């Protein structure tokens, strides 16, 4: 049998006739007319190629096939009822569920420790997956439910995607502790004289800092383009190259290297992080709870 061609309400009728012993009492239990119950029973008989119930006086006696079906049907209906009730109620302390988040790696180090401390303390059966989703596919993944929520920069998505700003991070400059050019701190002239590292997942194109510098008609010299800030911080600790990156991650990634963290020598916009979710889960209890945990994790 192909499930997409089966009306699950028919199994509710099967259970009611079996439990009540007749069409009349089943119709009262389900608040349906007797013809509606008889029609449903006819569809069940066609589906299984079996009468399922046979008259014995006023009673409807189940056939051997109906007797073999009733317990699996009841278990399935009860399981579906429990699942639907849990979705509507969503008790984080007792619900077993796995959420999938689209998060850029630069945010993982700042978000996940706080988020997982909150979740493990209050929701011991809930698990989290983080994935990297191509920004061109993000709206489709949120709509399909393969991703429950996403955290990223401001993106041009449709009105079907809800969003809220949850963090803002300034840019800072990372230099090795004994870098000879920065004994007295940082200014724009000194910054531009250095060789730089650009961290980007893209093969080409400028970083945010390059866009802001271009507004002043100046350009920095990029000697290394790499994919991850952690690797870049290690390069900084062993060379005279300098790195521009978000401050919150800089304070985590540079702890073991003892690199200096200096203010970016230009007033530029903050690096905003936005929380995204699809409109179809706007009021879903589980997704509401997840979003609350994410927002509070950034506020901690």
């Amino acid at each position: 049998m192909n499930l997409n061609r089966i009306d699950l309400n028919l199994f509710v009728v099967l259970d009611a006739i079996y439990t009540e012993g007749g069409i009349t009492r089943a119709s009262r239990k389900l608040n349906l007319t007797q013809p509606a119950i008889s029609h449903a029973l006819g569809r069940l008989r066609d589906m299984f190629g079996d009468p399922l119930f046979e008259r014995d006086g006023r009673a409807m006696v189940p056939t051997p096939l109906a007797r073999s079906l009733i317990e699996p049907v009841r278990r399935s209906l009860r399981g579906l009822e429990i699942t639907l009730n849990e979705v509507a109620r969503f008790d984080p302390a007792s619900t077993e569920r796995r959420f999938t988040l689209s998060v850029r790696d630069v945010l993982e180090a700042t978000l996940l420790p706080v988020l997982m401390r909150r979740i493990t303390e209050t929701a011991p059966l809930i698990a989290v997956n983080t994935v990297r989703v191509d920004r061109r596919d993000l709206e489709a993944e949120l709509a399909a439910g393969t991703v429950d929520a996403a955290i990223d920069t401001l993106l041009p998505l449709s009105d079907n995607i809800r969003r809220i700003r949850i963090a803002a991070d300034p840019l800072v400059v990372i230099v090795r502790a004994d870098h000879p050019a920065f004994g007295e701190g940082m200014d724009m002239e000194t910054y531009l004289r250095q060789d730089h590292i650009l961290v980007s997942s893209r093969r080409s194109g400028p970083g945010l800092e390059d866009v802001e510098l271009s507004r002043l008609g100046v350009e920095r010299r990029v000697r290394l383009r790499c994919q991850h800030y952690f690797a870049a911080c290690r390069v900084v600790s062993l060379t005279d190259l300098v790195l521009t990156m978000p401050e919150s991650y800089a304070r985590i990634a540079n702890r073991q290297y003892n690199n200096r963290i200096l203010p970016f020598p230009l007033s530029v916009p903050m690096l905003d992080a936005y929380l995204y979710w699809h409109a179809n889960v706007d009021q879903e209890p589980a997704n509401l709870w997840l979003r609350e945990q994410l927002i509070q994790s950034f506020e901690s």
Side-chain angles (χ1 to χ4, degrees), residues 34 51 77 103 159 164 184 216 222 230 244 296:
Q34 290 186 40
L77 291 174
V103 182
D159 291 341
I164 183 174
E184 300 299 324
L216 298 179
V222 175
F230 187 80
T244 305
Q296 292 185 8

Side-chain angles (χ1 to χ4, degrees), residues 118-193:
R118 294 180 60 86
I119 288 179
T120 53
E121 289 174 354
T122 61
L125 301 180
I126 285 178
V128 174
N129 286 352
T130 64
V131 297
R132 189 182 184 95
V133 175
D134 190 302
R135 286 167 173 154
R136 293 170 297 182
D137 301 326
L138 182 58
E139 183 163 346
E141 296 237 22
L142 288 168
T146 51
V147 170
D148 295 294
I151 301 173
D152 210 322
T153 56
L154 184 60
L155 302 174
L157 302 175
S158 79
D159 291 341
N160 291 324
I161 305 301
R162 305 288 191 255
R163 74 205 71 195
I164 183 174
R165 192 178 79 158
I166 58 174
D169 214 1
L171 285 176
V172 293
V173 181
I174 310 303
V175 303
R176 67 180 173 88
D178 54 351
H179 196 297
F182 297 101
E184 300 299 324
M186 169 78 66
D187 58 35
M188 180 60 72
E189 183 179 351
T190 307
Y191 178 82
L192 292 174
R193 280 202 303 263

Side-chain angles (χ1 to χ4, degrees), residues 175-183 236-240 257-260:
V175 303
R176 67 180 173 88
D178 54 351
H179 196 297
F182 297 101
V236 167
S237 70
L238 298 172
T239 69
D240 284 342
Y257 299 123
N258 197 34
N259 291 325
R260 293 178 66 190

Side-chain angles (χ1 to χ4, degrees), residues 42 44 54 63 78 82 85 94 112 130 134 161-162 199 251 285 295:
L44 284 164
E54 296 174 335
T63 66
R78 180 58 182 157
I82 290 172
N85 286 335
S94 60
L112 293 184
T130 64
D134 190 302
I161 305 301
R162 305 288 191 255
V199 175
R251 299 200 175 278
I295 292 168

